[in-house]
Amino acid sequence: MADARPFQWEYKPDPVAPEILRIEGGRRLEGSVRISGAKNAALKLMAAATLTGERCRFDNVPEIEDVRVLAEVLRDIGVTVDHPEPNVYEIASGDVDWLFVPLEAAAKMRASFILLGPLLTRFGRVIISNPGGDRIGRRPVNLHVDAMRALGAEIEYRNGYYFAKSPGRLRGGPVNFPQITVMGTENAMLAAVLADGHTVIEPAAQEPEVDDLIEFLQKMGAEVERTAPNRIEIEGRRRVRGASHSVVSDRIEAGTFIVAAAATRGHLILENAPCDHLGAFMDLMTLMGVEVRGGEGRIEVNASSIDLKACDIQTQPYPGLATDLQPPTCVLLTQAAGTSHVHELVFEDRLEWLGELRRMGANVEIVDQHHAIINGPTQLRGADVEIGDLRAGASLILAALAADGVTTIRGAHHVHRGYEKIDRKFLELGARIERLSEGT
Ligand code: EPU
């Protein structure tokens, strides 16, 4: 008998088994590249879909490991997640039966904690693992938990799990964060959508991915609005409906390709690029001497004949320079004439990977958890390096592309967590890059 299920496009994930990338550097990158949807928007949109039993549809979803992991976590709790064609996901959360997000999910992906707000507000209870720290710092979730409590949730912490419940509907109210938090803002917003009454979140994160989530929630019929740059207000509703949405483009991937062009003295055109979301980064590139022009979804970087200048940088919440673009920027600073001071303000431990960059010949001093000094220009040379984090991994690829000789990057599978087909994209721009599995 014929299978009655609708056709499912078969997703062949990028490998998650330990992987090595082998890169022969020193080639100018040229051509055009399409920027994918943003990881840090797609994950939150998928979580938002659990606010309703009706079907939600997303396109421009990046084909990355984190999205695949979240889809699995959702399926495990009874949500229907269909993947009918590349970059399209459909989610229907009618029969959620197991409100438990296990340690395995949190260990694979910290962002699974974004399910706390929507599951708690819709079903009144959830048990969710503490995601703990990761390679870029301690990364606690106390602000998420405090926000839920401010909305009336009762939360206990036992044996590594948060047991959260709400006696009736959550209650809208003021959510005041002592510092800016992106996912904290998003979790509070998702919880407040179905709460009873009015919620004001302050200071609210201003990242474009937060606004993409607001836009989707509005399509679902939620009453949510950014009423000041750092304030979001929500009038809770009893229910919201299914909706469709196209994921905003990934500003971090775009920034990564801009650095790739500049570091290899190449000439790239980025299509589907979020020009309006890269203000601080584009200003920095201009200060460093990179010719970069953007408008209407297209960015052109021409670095065929530029002199890169050193610059002092400091990461900040949006609209400041994104912490996720600090590692790629550091690669470019090794190619710039003079001394650059790097201040990583958002996370501790996000400068550690510079030790691997030093093995490639970079003149880098890690002063402390938040400060580093880079002297340039230095000719990077191929080396055997290893990574354990997504952005550091992408940045070592950039360094390898600019280096003389062959680099092997161990742990390269981490990069597939957040970059769609990164090796294929670079290959098409003229890079010599190949995937080897561990043991090859
Ligand atoms: N913080 C706390 N307690 C909390 C939450 C955050 O102390 O409960 C601290 C963090 O330790 C950090 C600071 O507040 O020092 C800001 O962290 P934030 O909450 O803003 O980060 P996040 O929401 O966990 C998201 C992105 C990160 C990105 C940061 C900053 C997702 C899934 N992740 O993390 O992306 O670096 O915002 O923009 O949206 C990446 O994509 O590689 C990545 C790490």
Side-chain angles (χ1 to χ4, degrees):
M1 210 173 92
D3 189 347
R5 285 178 311 162
F7 168 75
Q8 289 277 318
W9 175 73
E10 192 194 348
Y11 173 51
K12 294 199 183 64
D14 279 323
V16 280
E19 182 191 287
I20 300 173
L21 279 178
R22 180 183 183 281
I23 299 171
E24 258 181 72
R27 296 167 65 86
R28 286 162 44 106
L29 298 188
E30 280 181 356
S32 85
V33 58
R34 189 178 188 282
I35 301 304
S36 301
K39 164 177 86 79
N40 290 344
L43 298 173
K44 324 313 170 43
L45 294 165
M46 291 168 77
T50 64
L51 287 169
T52 175
E54 293 180 22
R55 187 164 274 260
C56 295
R57 180 183 165 92
F58 304 107
D59 60 45
N60 202 36
V61 180
E63 295 290 350
I64 54 174
E65 189 53 23
D66 273 10
V67 164
R68 201 183 63 77
V69 169
L70 186 59
E72 264 171 31
V73 173
L74 289 172
R75 286 186 186 118
D76 280 351
I77 59 172
V79 174
T80 303
V81 182
D82 291 333
H83 189 12
E85 55 186 281
N87 304 107
V88 176
Y89 274 81
E90 290 185 4
I91 297 180
S93 318
D95 302 317
V96 174
D97 45 20
W98 186 238
L99 290 154
F100 173 65
V101 180
L103 182 63
E104 291 74 23
K108 278 193 199 146
M109 190 185 56
R110 193 182 135 49
S112 56
F113 207 69
I114 195 63
L115 292 173
L116 171 64
L119 293 181
L120 176 61
T121 199
R122 175 147 173 243
F123 299 102
R125 70 205 148 88
V126 60
I127 302 171
I128 188 164
S129 168
N130 179 5
D134 66 10
R135 297 268 184 152
I136 61 174
R138 289 177 304 115
R139 304 191 72 185
V141 287
N142 57 316
L143 302 177
H144 301 236
V145 172
D146 290 350
M148 296 305 136
R149 288 190 174 130
L151 297 174
E154 292 171 8
I155 305 188
E156 277 178 50
Y157 183 64
R158 286 198 307 269
N159 305 327
Y161 283 91
Y162 289 97
F163 292 71
K165 63 179 181 192
S166 127
R169 278 170 80 193
L170 290 174
R171 287 188 313 272
V175 175
N176 297 310
F177 287 115
Q179 69 182 84
I180 289 175
T181 159
V182 176
M183 272 214 297
T185 299
E186 292 164 333
N187 238 337
M189 190 161 78
L190 290 166
V193 162
L194 296 180
D196 185 13
H198 192 78
T199 299
V200 181
I201 303 174
E202 257 177 324
Q206 299 180 50
E207 271 63 8
E209 295 76 22
V210 179
D211 285 291
D212 203 42
L213 182 58
I214 293 178
E215 208 184 293
F216 175 63
L217 291 171
Q218 288 169 343
K219 290 179 188 169
M220 295 179 89
E223 278 187 55
V224 43
E225 206 178 325
R226 190 183 286 284
T227 50
N230 64 356
R231 185 172 63 232
I232 294 172
E233 295 190 50
I234 302 113
E235 188 60 44
R237 307 196 54 149
R238 281 195 176 273
R239 58 182 58 82
V240 289
R241 55 179 180 266
S244 300
H245 190 72
S246 185
V247 180
V248 68
S249 298
D250 195 324
R251 64 199 163 99
I252 308 302
E253 188 195 14
T256 306
F257 278 97
I258 291 172
V259 170
T264 64
R265 300 294 196 268
H267 185 178
L268 294 187
I269 297 186
L270 278 52
E271 308 284 1
N272 194 36
C275 311
D276 296 343
H277 302 158
L278 279 160
F281 182 73
M282 302 266 260
D283 289 350
L284 170 67
M285 290 298 108
T286 307
L287 266 178
M288 288 185 69
V290 181
E291 219 180 277
V292 48
R293 281 196 301 266
E296 292 173 12
R298 194 171 184 272
I299 294 177
E300 179 170 4
V301 200
N302 189 351
S304 11
S305 56
I306 56 168
D307 288 320
L308 289 169
K309 295 185 258 308
C311 252
D312 292 342
I313 63 164
Q314 185 182 65
T315 62
Q316 268 167 354
Y318 194 85
L321 179 66
T323 170
D324 294 342
L325 284 173
Q326 172 266 110
T329 304
C330 284
V331 173
L332 199 56
L333 292 175
T334 68
Q335 303 305 296
T339 300
S340 303
H341 294 88
V342 178
H343 184 180
E344 170 54 58
L345 193 81
V346 180
F347 290 114
E348 67 269 15
D349 300 347
R350 214 175 201 180
L351 296 172
E352 261 180 20
W353 78 281
L354 289 170
E356 292 300 286
L357 192 57
R358 202 158 39 202
R359 287 155 56 82
M360 298 181 69
N363 183 341
V364 178
E365 186 195 340
I366 304 172
V367 180
D368 59 34
Q369 284 185 322
H370 293 281
H371 299 88
I373 299 171
I374 299 178
N375 284 297
T378 43
Q379 174 59 60
L380 298 174
R381 20 168 228 278
D384 293 338
V385 290
E386 178 156 11
I387 54 128
D389 155 63
L390 165 64
R391 306 297 172 193
S395 304
L396 283 175
I397 295 178
L398 296 175
L401 292 170
D404 249 358
V406 175
T407 299
T408 51
I409 306 178
R410 233 166 249 282
H413 50 283
H414 289 289
V415 179
H416 303 308
R417 275 193 41 219
Y419 289 87
E420 178 175 287
K421 303 187 185 98
I422 190 167
D423 48 342
R424 270 171 270 174
K425 286 187 179 181
F426 279 130
L427 202 64
E428 280 163 20
L429 298 173
R432 290 217 171 115
I433 178 167
E434 65 180 311
R435 279 184 189 184
L436 314 170
S437 47
E438 194 75 75
T440 307

